Amino acid sequence: MEDVLFSHPVVLNLRPTGQRKVDSAYEAIEAMQDGWPDRSTHGRAYRRALRTCRDALDGWQSGSRCRRAFVKAARSARLIAPGR
């Protein structure tokens, strides 16, 4: 499995640790599994992003599709840093 890089990083606001820059499909999966705030934000967008990013690592989805799904999940969880 080879990591899939994003064209531009996604910056998350994670409490209490601060900001986290996510540059790839692997980092997105790691952020969703380890840094997501709580179970109540694990809705449809979260599950779709997790699946899409895993598929990108397997070569079934593009990096841009993985990034879009990840951004949508982060927005749903209100984790996107202001001005991003």
PDB file of all heavy atoms in Angstrom, residues 28-59:
ATOM      1  N   ALA A  28      -5.030  11.295   6.852  1.00  0.00           N
ATOM      2  CA  ALA A  28      -6.464  11.546   7.039  1.00  0.00           C
ATOM      3  C   ALA A  28      -7.101  10.412   7.838  1.00  0.00           C
ATOM      4  O   ALA A  28      -7.865  10.654   8.774  1.00  0.00           O
ATOM      5  CB  ALA A  28      -7.150  11.713   5.689  1.00  0.00           C
ATOM      6  N   ILE A  29      -6.779   9.192   7.486  1.00  0.00           N
ATOM      7  CA  ILE A  29      -7.307   8.035   8.215  1.00  0.00           C
ATOM      8  C   ILE A  29      -6.842   8.079   9.669  1.00  0.00           C
ATOM      9  O   ILE A  29      -7.635   7.872  10.596  1.00  0.00           O
ATOM     10  CB  ILE A  29      -6.877   6.713   7.540  1.00  0.00           C
ATOM     11  CG1 ILE A  29      -7.565   6.580   6.178  1.00  0.00           C
ATOM     12  CG2 ILE A  29      -7.183   5.511   8.435  1.00  0.00           C
ATOM     13  CD1 ILE A  29      -7.005   5.466   5.318  1.00  0.00           C
ATOM     14  N   GLU A  30      -5.574   8.376   9.858  1.00  0.00           N
ATOM     15  CA  GLU A  30      -5.025   8.467  11.212  1.00  0.00           C
ATOM     16  C   GLU A  30      -5.746   9.551  12.022  1.00  0.00           C
ATOM     17  O   GLU A  30      -6.100   9.337  13.178  1.00  0.00           O
ATOM     18  CB  GLU A  30      -3.536   8.768  11.120  1.00  0.00           C
ATOM     19  CG  GLU A  30      -2.811   8.732  12.427  1.00  0.00           C
ATOM     20  CD  GLU A  30      -1.334   8.992  12.221  1.00  0.00           C
ATOM     21  OE1 GLU A  30      -0.972  10.133  11.860  1.00  0.00           O
ATOM     22  OE2 GLU A  30      -0.551   8.048  12.410  1.00  0.00           O
ATOM     23  N   ALA A  31      -5.985  10.702  11.405  1.00  0.00           N
ATOM     24  CA  ALA A  31      -6.676  11.802  12.090  1.00  0.00           C
ATOM     25  C   ALA A  31      -8.108  11.403  12.441  1.00  0.00           C
ATOM     26  O   ALA A  31      -8.593  11.718  13.529  1.00  0.00           O
ATOM     27  CB  ALA A  31      -6.679  13.056  11.218  1.00  0.00           C
ATOM     28  N   MET A  32      -8.777  10.705  11.534  1.00  0.00           N
ATOM     29  CA  MET A  32     -10.152  10.299  11.804  1.00  0.00           C
ATOM     30  C   MET A  32     -10.225   9.245  12.900  1.00  0.00           C
ATOM     31  O   MET A  32     -11.156   9.241  13.705  1.00  0.00           O
ATOM     32  CB  MET A  32     -10.818   9.785  10.527  1.00  0.00           C
ATOM     33  CG  MET A  32     -11.162  10.905   9.567  1.00  0.00           C
ATOM     34  SD  MET A  32     -12.117  10.347   8.132  1.00  0.00           S
ATOM     35  CE  MET A  32     -10.821   9.630   7.140  1.00  0.00           C
ATOM     36  N   GLN A  33      -9.251   8.363  12.969  1.00  0.00           N
ATOM     37  CA  GLN A  33      -9.281   7.307  13.971  1.00  0.00           C
ATOM     38  C   GLN A  33      -8.749   7.759  15.326  1.00  0.00           C
ATOM     39  O   GLN A  33      -9.202   7.267  16.354  1.00  0.00           O
ATOM     40  CB  GLN A  33      -8.491   6.100  13.475  1.00  0.00           C
ATOM     41  CG  GLN A  33      -9.178   5.420  12.316  1.00  0.00           C
ATOM     42  CD  GLN A  33      -8.413   4.231  11.780  1.00  0.00           C
ATOM     43  OE1 GLN A  33      -7.204   4.115  11.934  1.00  0.00           O
ATOM     44  NE2 GLN A  33      -9.131   3.337  11.131  1.00  0.00           N
ATOM     45  N   ASP A  34      -7.807   8.696  15.334  1.00  0.00           N
ATOM     46  CA  ASP A  34      -7.172   9.086  16.589  1.00  0.00           C
ATOM     47  C   ASP A  34      -7.505  10.498  17.058  1.00  0.00           C
ATOM     48  O   ASP A  34      -7.417  10.771  18.241  1.00  0.00           O
ATOM     49  CB  ASP A  34      -5.641   8.983  16.470  1.00  0.00           C
ATOM     50  CG  ASP A  34      -5.179   7.571  16.188  1.00  0.00           C
ATOM     51  OD1 ASP A  34      -5.888   6.626  16.565  1.00  0.00           O
ATOM     52  OD2 ASP A  34      -4.109   7.420  15.578  1.00  0.00           O
ATOM     53  N   GLY A  35      -7.868  11.394  16.154  1.00  0.00           N
ATOM     54  CA  GLY A  35      -8.017  12.789  16.545  1.00  0.00           C
ATOM     55  C   GLY A  35      -9.414  13.355  16.476  1.00  0.00           C
ATOM     56  O   GLY A  35      -9.614  14.514  16.815  1.00  0.00           O
ATOM     57  N   TRP A  36     -10.364  12.555  16.007  1.00  0.00           N
ATOM     58  CA  TRP A  36     -11.743  13.068  15.889  1.00  0.00           C
ATOM     59  C   TRP A  36     -12.306  13.288  17.275  1.00  0.00           C
ATOM     60  O   TRP A  36     -12.064  12.485  18.181  1.00  0.00           O
ATOM     61  CB  TRP A  36     -12.587  12.078  15.097  1.00  0.00           C
ATOM     62  CG  TRP A  36     -13.323  12.693  13.948  1.00  0.00           C
ATOM     63  CD1 TRP A  36     -14.667  12.753  13.821  1.00  0.00           C
ATOM     64  CD2 TRP A  36     -12.777  13.301  12.778  1.00  0.00           C
ATOM     65  NE1 TRP A  36     -14.998  13.371  12.641  1.00  0.00           N
ATOM     66  CE2 TRP A  36     -13.851  13.722  11.975  1.00  0.00           C
ATOM     67  CE3 TRP A  36     -11.491  13.558  12.329  1.00  0.00           C
ATOM     68  CZ2 TRP A  36     -13.678  14.367  10.760  1.00  0.00           C
ATOM     69  CZ3 TRP A  36     -11.318  14.189  11.119  1.00  0.00           C
ATOM     70  CH2 TRP A  36     -12.409  14.586  10.352  1.00  0.00           C
ATOM     71  N   PRO A  37     -13.078  14.344  17.465  1.00  0.00           N
ATOM     72  CA  PRO A  37     -13.486  14.745  18.816  1.00  0.00           C
ATOM     73  C   PRO A  37     -14.321  13.733  19.590  1.00  0.00           C
ATOM     74  O   PRO A  37     -14.005  13.427  20.714  1.00  0.00           O
ATOM     75  CB  PRO A  37     -14.247  16.044  18.608  1.00  0.00           C
ATOM     76  CG  PRO A  37     -14.579  16.096  17.174  1.00  0.00           C
ATOM     77  CD  PRO A  37     -13.592  15.236  16.463  1.00  0.00           C
ATOM     78  N   ASP A  38     -15.393  13.206  19.021  1.00  0.00           N
ATOM     79  CA  ASP A  38     -16.216  12.251  19.760  1.00  0.00           C
ATOM     80  C   ASP A  38     -17.072  11.446  18.800  1.00  0.00           C
ATOM     81  O   ASP A  38     -17.154  11.739  17.618  1.00  0.00           O
ATOM     82  CB  ASP A  38     -17.074  12.944  20.823  1.00  0.00           C
ATOM     83  CG  ASP A  38     -18.054  13.944  20.235  1.00  0.00           C
ATOM     84  OD1 ASP A  38     -18.754  13.611  19.257  1.00  0.00           O
ATOM     85  OD2 ASP A  38     -18.125  15.062  20.758  1.00  0.00           O
ATOM     86  N   ARG A  39     -17.699  10.438  19.319  1.00  0.00           N
ATOM     87  CA  ARG A  39     -18.498   9.521  18.492  1.00  0.00           C
ATOM     88  C   ARG A  39     -19.686  10.207  17.821  1.00  0.00           C
ATOM     89  O   ARG A  39     -20.143   9.753  16.787  1.00  0.00           O
ATOM     90  CB  ARG A  39     -19.010   8.349  19.331  1.00  0.00           C
ATOM     91  CG  ARG A  39     -17.938   7.534  19.998  1.00  0.00           C
ATOM     92  CD  ARG A  39     -17.016   6.900  19.057  1.00  0.00           C
ATOM     93  NE  ARG A  39     -17.382   5.561  18.690  1.00  0.00           N
ATOM     94  CZ  ARG A  39     -16.677   4.874  17.809  1.00  0.00           C
ATOM     95  NH1 ARG A  39     -15.613   5.385  17.256  1.00  0.00           N
ATOM     96  NH2 ARG A  39     -17.034   3.665  17.493  1.00  0.00           N
ATOM     97  N   SER A  40     -20.197  11.285  18.390  1.00  0.00           N
ATOM     98  CA  SER A  40     -21.369  11.944  17.813  1.00  0.00           C
ATOM     99  C   SER A  40     -21.061  12.583  16.463  1.00  0.00           C
ATOM    100  O   SER A  40     -21.973  12.865  15.697  1.00  0.00           O
ATOM    101  CB  SER A  40     -21.927  12.993  18.772  1.00  0.00           C
ATOM    102  OG  SER A  40     -21.022  14.070  18.902  1.00  0.00           O
ATOM    103  N   THR A  41     -19.769  12.780  16.148  1.00  0.00           N
ATOM    104  CA  THR A  41     -19.414  13.374  14.857  1.00  0.00           C
ATOM    105  C   THR A  41     -19.058  12.308  13.821  1.00  0.00           C
ATOM    106  O   THR A  41     -18.568  12.625  12.759  1.00  0.00           O
ATOM    107  CB  THR A  41     -18.243  14.364  15.008  1.00  0.00           C
ATOM    108  OG1 THR A  41     -17.119  13.654  15.507  1.00  0.00           O
ATOM    109  CG2 THR A  41     -18.615  15.511  15.913  1.00  0.00           C
ATOM    110  N   HIS A  42     -19.301  11.047  14.136  1.00  0.00           N
ATOM    111  CA  HIS A  42     -19.001   9.954  13.215  1.00  0.00           C
ATOM    112  C   HIS A  42     -20.226   9.623  12.365  1.00  0.00           C
ATOM    113  O   HIS A  42     -20.707   8.495  12.361  1.00  0.00           O
ATOM    114  CB  HIS A  42     -18.550   8.719  13.985  1.00  0.00           C
ATOM    115  CG  HIS A  42     -17.219   8.889  14.637  1.00  0.00           C
ATOM    116  ND1 HIS A  42     -16.541   7.841  15.168  1.00  0.00           N
ATOM    117  CD2 HIS A  42     -16.430   9.966  14.842  1.00  0.00           C
ATOM    118  CE1 HIS A  42     -15.394   8.264  15.677  1.00  0.00           C
ATOM    119  NE2 HIS A  42     -15.321   9.554  15.492  1.00  0.00           N
ATOM    120  N   GLY A  43     -20.708  10.595  11.645  1.00  0.00           N
ATOM    121  CA  GLY A  43     -21.888  10.417  10.816  1.00  0.00           C
ATOM    122  C   GLY A  43     -21.545   9.873   9.438  1.00  0.00           C
ATOM    123  O   GLY A  43     -20.473   9.310   9.205  1.00  0.00           O
ATOM    124  N   ARG A  44     -22.458  10.078   8.529  1.00  0.00           N
ATOM    125  CA  ARG A  44     -22.321   9.564   7.176  1.00  0.00           C
ATOM    126  C   ARG A  44     -21.079  10.114   6.468  1.00  0.00           C
ATOM    127  O   ARG A  44     -20.360   9.375   5.800  1.00  0.00           O
ATOM    128  CB  ARG A  44     -23.572   9.913   6.374  1.00  0.00           C
ATOM    129  CG  ARG A  44     -23.558   9.343   4.989  1.00  0.00           C
ATOM    130  CD  ARG A  44     -24.796   9.713   4.244  1.00  0.00           C
ATOM    131  NE  ARG A  44     -25.956   9.295   5.020  1.00  0.00           N
ATOM    132  CZ  ARG A  44     -27.125   8.991   4.509  1.00  0.00           C
ATOM    133  NH1 ARG A  44     -27.323   9.092   3.228  1.00  0.00           N
ATOM    134  NH2 ARG A  44     -28.116   8.619   5.276  1.00  0.00           N
ATOM    135  N   ALA A  45     -20.821  11.418   6.613  1.00  0.00           N
ATOM    136  CA  ALA A  45     -19.647  12.028   5.966  1.00  0.00           C
ATOM    137  C   ALA A  45     -18.354  11.419   6.498  1.00  0.00           C
ATOM    138  O   ALA A  45     -17.416  11.169   5.730  1.00  0.00           O
ATOM    139  CB  ALA A  45     -19.652  13.542   6.161  1.00  0.00           C
ATOM    140  N   TYR A  46     -18.300  11.169   7.793  1.00  0.00           N
ATOM    141  CA  TYR A  46     -17.122  10.543   8.409  1.00  0.00           C
ATOM    142  C   TYR A  46     -16.904   9.144   7.822  1.00  0.00           C
ATOM    143  O   TYR A  46     -15.790   8.801   7.403  1.00  0.00           O
ATOM    144  CB  TYR A  46     -17.315  10.464   9.924  1.00  0.00           C
ATOM    145  CG  TYR A  46     -16.245   9.668  10.638  1.00  0.00           C
ATOM    146  CD1 TYR A  46     -15.106  10.283  11.103  1.00  0.00           C
ATOM    147  CD2 TYR A  46     -16.402   8.292  10.847  1.00  0.00           C
ATOM    148  CE1 TYR A  46     -14.123   9.555  11.770  1.00  0.00           C
ATOM    149  CE2 TYR A  46     -15.429   7.564  11.498  1.00  0.00           C
ATOM    150  CZ  TYR A  46     -14.291   8.193  11.958  1.00  0.00           C
ATOM    151  OH  TYR A  46     -13.329   7.465  12.596  1.00  0.00           O
ATOM    152  N   ARG A  47     -17.947   8.345   7.799  1.00  0.00           N
ATOM    153  CA  ARG A  47     -17.821   6.971   7.293  1.00  0.00           C
ATOM    154  C   ARG A  47     -17.446   6.954   5.814  1.00  0.00           C
ATOM    155  O   ARG A  47     -16.613   6.147   5.393  1.00  0.00           O
ATOM    156  CB  ARG A  47     -19.119   6.199   7.539  1.00  0.00           C
ATOM    157  CG  ARG A  47     -19.378   5.934   9.029  1.00  0.00           C
ATOM    158  CD  ARG A  47     -20.544   4.991   9.268  1.00  0.00           C
ATOM    159  NE  ARG A  47     -21.764   5.371   8.591  1.00  0.00           N
ATOM    160  CZ  ARG A  47     -22.667   6.217   9.073  1.00  0.00           C
ATOM    161  NH1 ARG A  47     -22.473   6.781  10.256  1.00  0.00           N
ATOM    162  NH2 ARG A  47     -23.761   6.499   8.401  1.00  0.00           N
ATOM    163  N   ARG A  48     -18.017   7.859   5.033  1.00  0.00           N
ATOM    164  CA  ARG A  48     -17.694   7.937   3.615  1.00  0.00           C
ATOM    165  C   ARG A  48     -16.231   8.344   3.425  1.00  0.00           C
ATOM    166  O   ARG A  48     -15.530   7.788   2.575  1.00  0.00           O
ATOM    167  CB  ARG A  48     -18.618   8.915   2.900  1.00  0.00           C
ATOM    168  CG  ARG A  48     -18.305   9.014   1.405  1.00  0.00           C
ATOM    169  CD  ARG A  48     -19.317   9.830   0.663  1.00  0.00           C
ATOM    170  NE  ARG A  48     -20.558   9.072   0.594  1.00  0.00           N
ATOM    171  CZ  ARG A  48     -21.780   9.585   0.739  1.00  0.00           C
ATOM    172  NH1 ARG A  48     -21.930  10.870   0.916  1.00  0.00           N
ATOM    173  NH2 ARG A  48     -22.841   8.828   0.662  1.00  0.00           N
ATOM    174  N   ALA A  49     -15.765   9.317   4.197  1.00  0.00           N
ATOM    175  CA  ALA A  49     -14.375   9.764   4.081  1.00  0.00           C
ATOM    176  C   ALA A  49     -13.406   8.647   4.451  1.00  0.00           C
ATOM    177  O   ALA A  49     -12.403   8.429   3.760  1.00  0.00           O
ATOM    178  CB  ALA A  49     -14.142  10.990   4.959  1.00  0.00           C
ATOM    179  N   LEU A  50     -13.701   7.944   5.521  1.00  0.00           N
ATOM    180  CA  LEU A  50     -12.841   6.849   5.945  1.00  0.00           C
ATOM    181  C   LEU A  50     -12.757   5.777   4.856  1.00  0.00           C
ATOM    182  O   LEU A  50     -11.670   5.324   4.487  1.00  0.00           O
ATOM    183  CB  LEU A  50     -13.368   6.262   7.253  1.00  0.00           C
ATOM    184  CG  LEU A  50     -12.448   5.328   8.026  1.00  0.00           C
ATOM    185  CD1 LEU A  50     -11.126   5.987   8.357  1.00  0.00           C
ATOM    186  CD2 LEU A  50     -13.136   4.868   9.298  1.00  0.00           C
ATOM    187  N   ARG A  51     -13.886   5.424   4.294  1.00  0.00           N
ATOM    188  CA  ARG A  51     -13.923   4.420   3.226  1.00  0.00           C
ATOM    189  C   ARG A  51     -13.198   4.912   1.971  1.00  0.00           C
ATOM    190  O   ARG A  51     -12.407   4.182   1.362  1.00  0.00           O
ATOM    191  CB  ARG A  51     -15.375   4.048   2.904  1.00  0.00           C
ATOM    192  CG  ARG A  51     -15.498   2.946   1.859  1.00  0.00           C
ATOM    193  CD  ARG A  51     -16.934   2.543   1.588  1.00  0.00           C
ATOM    194  NE  ARG A  51     -17.719   3.666   1.112  1.00  0.00           N
ATOM    195  CZ  ARG A  51     -18.748   4.213   1.762  1.00  0.00           C
ATOM    196  NH1 ARG A  51     -19.125   3.749   2.931  1.00  0.00           N
ATOM    197  NH2 ARG A  51     -19.406   5.225   1.247  1.00  0.00           N
ATOM    198  N   THR A  52     -13.443   6.174   1.585  1.00  0.00           N
ATOM    199  CA  THR A  52     -12.832   6.724   0.376  1.00  0.00           C
ATOM    200  C   THR A  52     -11.314   6.814   0.516  1.00  0.00           C
ATOM    201  O   THR A  52     -10.578   6.504  -0.425  1.00  0.00           O
ATOM    202  CB  THR A  52     -13.424   8.112   0.052  1.00  0.00           C
ATOM    203  OG1 THR A  52     -14.843   7.975  -0.100  1.00  0.00           O
ATOM    204  CG2 THR A  52     -12.848   8.676  -1.223  1.00  0.00           C
ATOM    205  N   CYS A  53     -10.843   7.221   1.683  1.00  0.00           N
ATOM    206  CA  CYS A  53      -9.394   7.321   1.889  1.00  0.00           C
ATOM    207  C   CYS A  53      -8.742   5.937   1.921  1.00  0.00           C
ATOM    208  O   CYS A  53      -7.646   5.754   1.389  1.00  0.00           O
ATOM    209  CB  CYS A  53      -9.085   8.118   3.150  1.00  0.00           C
ATOM    210  SG  CYS A  53      -9.465   9.875   2.973  1.00  0.00           S
ATOM    211  N   ARG A  54      -9.409   4.961   2.499  1.00  0.00           N
ATOM    212  CA  ARG A  54      -8.880   3.588   2.461  1.00  0.00           C
ATOM    213  C   ARG A  54      -8.839   3.078   1.023  1.00  0.00           C
ATOM    214  O   ARG A  54      -7.872   2.431   0.609  1.00  0.00           O
ATOM    215  CB  ARG A  54      -9.733   2.664   3.325  1.00  0.00           C
ATOM    216  CG  ARG A  54      -9.498   2.851   4.792  1.00  0.00           C
ATOM    217  CD  ARG A  54     -10.362   1.918   5.615  1.00  0.00           C
ATOM    218  NE  ARG A  54     -10.066   2.056   7.027  1.00  0.00           N
ATOM    219  CZ  ARG A  54     -10.944   1.814   7.975  1.00  0.00           C
ATOM    220  NH1 ARG A  54     -12.168   1.408   7.674  1.00  0.00           N
ATOM    221  NH2 ARG A  54     -10.608   1.951   9.236  1.00  0.00           N
ATOM    222  N   ASP A  55      -9.875   3.385   0.263  1.00  0.00           N
ATOM    223  CA  ASP A  55      -9.902   2.981  -1.144  1.00  0.00           C
ATOM    224  C   ASP A  55      -8.800   3.676  -1.938  1.00  0.00           C
ATOM    225  O   ASP A  55      -8.228   3.087  -2.860  1.00  0.00           O
ATOM    226  CB  ASP A  55     -11.267   3.287  -1.765  1.00  0.00           C
ATOM    227  CG  ASP A  55     -12.351   2.316  -1.321  1.00  0.00           C
ATOM    228  OD1 ASP A  55     -12.022   1.290  -0.680  1.00  0.00           O
ATOM    229  OD2 ASP A  55     -13.534   2.589  -1.604  1.00  0.00           O
ATOM    230  N   ALA A  56      -8.486   4.920  -1.597  1.00  0.00           N
ATOM    231  CA  ALA A  56      -7.398   5.633  -2.280  1.00  0.00           C
ATOM    232  C   ALA A  56      -6.064   4.931  -2.029  1.00  0.00           C
ATOM    233  O   ALA A  56      -5.240   4.793  -2.941  1.00  0.00           O
ATOM    234  CB  ALA A  56      -7.336   7.087  -1.823  1.00  0.00           C
ATOM    235  N   LEU A  57      -5.854   4.476  -0.805  1.00  0.00           N
ATOM    236  CA  LEU A  57      -4.622   3.744  -0.496  1.00  0.00           C
ATOM    237  C   LEU A  57      -4.531   2.452  -1.291  1.00  0.00           C
ATOM    238  O   LEU A  57      -3.433   2.010  -1.644  1.00  0.00           O
ATOM    239  CB  LEU A  57      -4.535   3.451   1.001  1.00  0.00           C
ATOM    240  CG  LEU A  57      -4.306   4.654   1.905  1.00  0.00           C
ATOM    241  CD1 LEU A  57      -4.339   4.219   3.365  1.00  0.00           C
ATOM    242  CD2 LEU A  57      -3.001   5.351   1.584  1.00  0.00           C
ATOM    243  N   ASP A  58      -5.668   1.849  -1.580  1.00  0.00           N
ATOM    244  CA  ASP A  58      -5.702   0.609  -2.369  1.00  0.00           C
ATOM    245  C   ASP A  58      -5.698   0.871  -3.870  1.00  0.00           C
ATOM    246  O   ASP A  58      -5.711  -0.074  -4.658  1.00  0.00           O
ATOM    247  CB  ASP A  58      -6.937  -0.216  -2.002  1.00  0.00           C
ATOM    248  CG  ASP A  58      -6.830  -0.838  -0.620  1.00  0.00           C
ATOM    249  OD1 ASP A  58      -5.697  -1.061  -0.154  1.00  0.00           O
ATOM    250  OD2 ASP A  58      -7.879  -1.102  -0.003  1.00  0.00           O
ATOM    251  N   GLY A  59      -5.724   2.152  -4.264  1.00  0.00           N
ATOM    252  CA  GLY A  59      -5.685   2.498  -5.681  1.00  0.00           C
ATOM    253  C   GLY A  59      -7.039   2.527  -6.358  1.00  0.00           C
ATOM    254  O   GLY A  59      -7.124   2.623  -7.573  1.00  0.00           O
TER     255      GLY A  59
END
